[in-house]
Amino acid sequence: MTTPPAIVILGVGAQATARRVQARYEGAQVHGLQGRVTDADVSFSELGVHLGELYASGTPIVALCAAGIVIRCLAPLLANKGIEPPVLAVAEDGSAVVPLLGGLSGVNTMAREIAAALDVPPAITTSGELRFGACVLNPPDGYTLASLDQGKRFVSDLLAGEATRIEGDAPWLDGVQLPRADDAQRAIRVTPLAWSGAADELVIHPRSVAVAVAVDATATGDGLHERILDAARAQGLAATSLAVLLAPLSLMGNPALQRAATALQVALRYSAEPGAPGHAVDMLNQTLRVPHTTLAADTKTPIAFAVAHAPLDPATVGRARGKLSVIGLGPGDASLLAPAARAALAQATDILGYETYVKMAGPFRADQRVHGTDNREEMQRARHAFELASAGRRVAMVSSGDPGVFAMAAAVLEALDDARDEPQCAAWAAVELEIVPGISAALATAAQAGAPLGHDFCMLSLSDNLKPWSIIETRLRHAAEADLVMAFYNPISRARPWQLDKALDIVRAFRAPKTIVVLGRDIGRPGATLKTKTLSELKSADVDMRTMVIIGSSTTRVFRPAGSGQEWAYTPRWYE
Ligand code: SAH
């Protein structure tokens, strides 16, 4: 199973069972109903919508609620049996495990695993599975069925009384009570070779083939995927037997290679090119650490194959291209974290950032390395991130809010830019770098207050750590004069006690005393506070380093709708 399951709970009564299921699956997250579950990893507000989204994205679902609820939520989506993820209902006290959907994607296997973890028998209802003790059509990770339709015919023949031989290595069938006979006409064949179409065979392909491409193979750019498939076909290999695409280190980051690996659905790994460049066979022999046979048109071919005796774990072949994801956590609340940032955190082998934010991004798995550092060592942290990523690790660099707003993204790019003439430059440049946006403090605060940024605005950091105070004064003057709404980041700190008062003096020279000011503190975090004041009331003692200060323009206003307790601040879209 590649995607870890979402464990969905509707109340605190299910939390203990949820954590037991979670412990069984690396990367699994507990999804809790907002308002009912307090310490979920992910929270959602509507069960039907949430289950539908999980199902559509192919995420395995373990719902700790009545089977009927799950069925009603997913019924409108049950179109294509071939692509559905496993869906199980588990009693919230852990007393029953009911596989519902995803017979071909391993739901019964999951039911057995969860049942074993909860120490109860699973409620298996699939006839082939009951008769034989395993679903023949759902081989374990590392194996793929050649044809589902043929497989279904084959299993119904066995249920009708036919026997079968097993050809090839199928260790997972050892404990299965299949009707076997060495002279049977039917055969389960485990082979990396393509299925011939014979009706009396059930062909299962192990993902045991590595394909290597030499530099020459990528010279023409596009069409690499088709050329690999043609070469595989010429060797009689099934495309689904391919486990890994191996390329020379010098091609790391090459887009044609990446497109080919994506189209082939294989892992892309790299190794040094051997003595004779362009010899893919040599690359395979030098890199593969398991017994294998090479297949190639000739020793100089730029595309060659190696067939191992068992499925290949791509992680053991050469090395990966490292990745650096610079992500924004949003203001703090898990519901305001972008799914792309969540995915980067789940995939990361290493997490870097200022301690407070790293804590906010957790909890992390035991296999993830956390490198928390002091807030001020930004350049050093950025270089460290590149060092880790260029060694093949997947690094998540975390900032609060948006990583590009007074945070790590610019430091990371500066480190890369500065390394232009350094020896490590090529290795750093080969790292897959992505910047994942987040909800910045000004936006999160504005949303709480209403829409104070509804018209032109600017964002300013009042910190003079990295820029001279005179620049800040000039910008404040111009922004105040231009009647822009202003969002102040880093408004004050112990080391910068006087700057905010000075900034307010400048603003007051241009703005009326009744100008609306919004103060958001720890927005999206426990103990959040939101206050609206006028510019004349505002004192620097109202503000600390965890506060966002939004100074309204001449048109920013507050109102309280009739009969409603809540006051709203907004800046109209129009201007007089
Ligand atoms: N990258 C961050 C900003 C980092 S600068 C972002 O996009 O939000 C740090 C400043 O942001 C703090 O001094 C404070 O002014 C503001 N800030 C960050 N998180 C905040 C929050 N949850 N509530 C209010 N202000 C916050």
Side-chain angles (χ1 to χ4, degrees), residues 392-414:
R393 303 192 61 86
R394 288 188 305 279
V395 182
M397 166 80 85
V398 300
S399 291
S400 78
D402 180 87
V405 176
F406 311 122
M408 283 308 297
V412 162
L413 293 175
E414 192 182 329

Side-chain angles (χ1 to χ4, degrees), residues 331-332 357 399-407 439-442 445 488-492 520-525 544-549:
Y357 303 144
S399 291
S400 78
D402 180 87
V405 176
F406 311 122
I439 296 174
S440 191
T445 303
F488 292 164
Y489 288 76
N490 302 312
I492 199 164
R521 184 173 191 273
D522 278 343
I523 295 299
R525 301 180 193 168
D544 67 5
M545 63 184 294
R546 283 145 67 179
T547 308
M548 163 56 51
V549 181

Side-chain angles (χ1 to χ4, degrees), residues 212 274 278-286 292 294-296 298-301 303-305:
H279 293 197
V281 176
D282 293 348
M283 205 156 73
L284 286 166
N285 285 334
Q286 182 184 277
H292 61 273
T294 49
L295 300 175
D298 60 70
T299 55
K300 293 198 186 117
T301 179
I303 299 179
F305 300 90

Side-chain angles (χ1 to χ4, degrees), residues 425 439 449 550:
C425 175
I439 296 174
I550 298 179

Side-chain angles (χ1 to χ4, degrees), residues 116-193:
L118 299 175
D119 205 18
V120 292
I124 306 283
T125 55
T126 318
S127 43
E129 181 106 13
L130 285 174
R131 182 89 72 82
F132 308 136
C135 179
V136 180
L137 299 184
N138 177 36
D141 278 352
Y143 298 85
T144 344
L145 199 60
S147 158
L148 180 58
D149 287 336
Q150 164 59 9
K152 285 183 190 161
R153 280 197 294 276
F154 191 90
V155 169
S156 51
D157 286 352
L158 295 194
L159 286 169
E162 293 286 349
T164 183
R165 297 175 275 138
I166 296 182
E167 286 183 12
D169 215 9
W172 74 95
L173 291 179
D174 287 349
V176 177
Q177 297 102 47
L178 284 174
R180 294 200 201 193
D182 289 343
D183 59 350
Q185 194 184 342
R186 282 174 177 68
I188 294 177
R189 198 187 295 281
V190 182
T191 172
L193 298 178

Side-chain angles (χ1 to χ4, degrees), residues 240-380:
T240 49
S241 297
L242 296 178
V244 58
L245 170 57
L246 183 65
L249 280 173
S250 60
L251 290 181
M252 200 177 261
N254 178 302
L257 267 176
Q258 249 140 351
R259 278 195 300 274
T262 308
L264 293 166
Q265 294 183 294
V266 297
L268 179 54
R269 306 282 295 185
Y270 300 88
S271 74
E273 245 195 323
H279 293 197
V281 176
D282 293 348
M283 205 156 73
L284 286 166
N285 285 334
Q286 182 184 277
T287 309
L288 287 187
R289 288 196 244 127
V290 292
H292 61 273
T293 314
T294 49
L295 300 175
D298 60 70
T299 55
K300 293 198 186 117
T301 179
I303 299 179
F305 300 90
V307 181
H309 303 323
L312 275 170
D313 176 1
T316 63
V317 180
R319 49 159 284 197
R321 179 186 182 198
K323 183 170 179 179
L324 172 53
S325 304
V326 187
I327 68 169
L329 298 173
D333 191 277
S335 66
L336 298 181
L337 175 68
R342 192 186 302 286
L345 285 172
Q347 286 171 10
T349 55
D350 295 77
I351 295 95
L352 267 77
Y354 174 46
E355 307 262 13
T356 314
Y357 303 144
V358 167
K359 265 196 210 117
M360 207 161 98
F364 296 105
R365 301 184 303 269
D367 64 307
Q368 294 182 298
R369 266 199 252 156
V370 174
H371 314 252
T373 47
D374 188 87
N375 206 7
R376 288 165 185 271
E377 302 159 8
E378 280 145 355
M379 289 312 290
Q380 195 185 321

